[in-house]
Amino acid sequence: QLQLVESGGGLVQPGGSLRLSCAASRFTLRDYAIVWFRQAPGKEREGVLCINTRGVGTDYADSVKGRFTISRDNVKNTVYLQMNNLKSEDTGTYYCAARGAPLSTYCTDEAREGDYNYWGQGTQVTVSS
């Protein structure tokens, strides 16, 4: 079973940057589209960005456009979420997720939590002065 591990979260001041990583053990991440979700306290989990197996990204959250980017390094078997100009409303737990066939390589128009069956444990991002 695909196991995902997020890292890179932490406490950062508004306007700062963080880069989150999503890594996998025993599986090749290049065979999967990867979605970053986030969940703020008291809110539902929402899709942020997706990257397909060809390296093409899909935006889900208007609030992060122009600030967050997604990329993948197939040599390092890792997907990254670069977050710049962070705001307090970006605070939350960030998860990477993937799903099995037949849509495992695609980023769909919507990121629905229930469509994904492989999840990491999450990494906490806190934006505060």
Side-chain angles (χ1 to χ4, degrees), residues 18-23 29-30 32-36 49-59 68-83 96:
L18 282 175
R19 188 176 77 162
L20 306 184
S21 300
C22 174
L29 269 190
R30 69 170 179 260
Y32 295 87
I34 299 296
V35 179
W36 282 98
L49 283 162
C50 177
I51 188 165
N52 67 15
T53 54
R54 292 180 291 117
V56 177
T58 299
D59 295 329
F68 290 13
T69 56
I70 191 169
S71 62
R72 65 192 313 152
D73 185 332
N74 290 334
V75 173
K76 295 184 178 180
N77 206 32
T78 302
V79 170
Y80 301 101
L81 181 67
Q82 178 66 44
M83 307 186 296
C96 61

Side-chain angles (χ1 to χ4, degrees), residues 5-126:
V5 179
E6 303 95 339
S7 62
L11 173 64
V12 63
Q13 292 185 342
S17 297
L18 282 175
R19 188 176 77 162
L20 306 184
S21 300
C22 174
S25 58
R26 298 180 293 173
F27 282 84
T28 303
L29 269 190
R30 69 170 179 260
D31 295 334
Y32 295 87
I34 299 296
V35 179
W36 282 98
F37 285 83
R38 68 182 180 183
Q39 188 165 21
K43 295 188 177 181
E44 294 185 353
R45 198 170 295 187
E46 66 167 346
V48 179
L49 283 162
C50 177
I51 188 165
N52 67 15
T53 54
R54 292 180 291 117
V56 177
T58 299
D59 295 329
Y60 294 126
D62 289 340
S63 62
V64 307
K65 287 182 179 179
R67 301 188 297 122
F68 290 13
T69 56
I70 191 169
S71 62
R72 65 192 313 152
D73 185 332
N74 290 334
V75 173
K76 295 184 178 180
N77 206 32
T78 302
V79 170
Y80 301 101
L81 181 67
Q82 178 66 44
M83 307 186 296
N84 298 327
N85 191 22
L86 282 160
K87 304 176 181 181
S88 58
E89 52 262 42
D90 296 317
T91 293
T93 304
Y94 285 70
Y95 303 87
C96 61
R99 58 187 167 186
L103 296 177
S104 57
T105 63
Y106 296 94
C107 294
T108 50
D109 291 342
E110 284 185 79
R112 291 190 292 256
E113 182 180 354
D115 290 343
Y116 293 85
N117 47 343
Y118 303 120
W119 291 85
Q121 81 289 350
T123 186
Q124 178 67 35
V125 172
T126 302

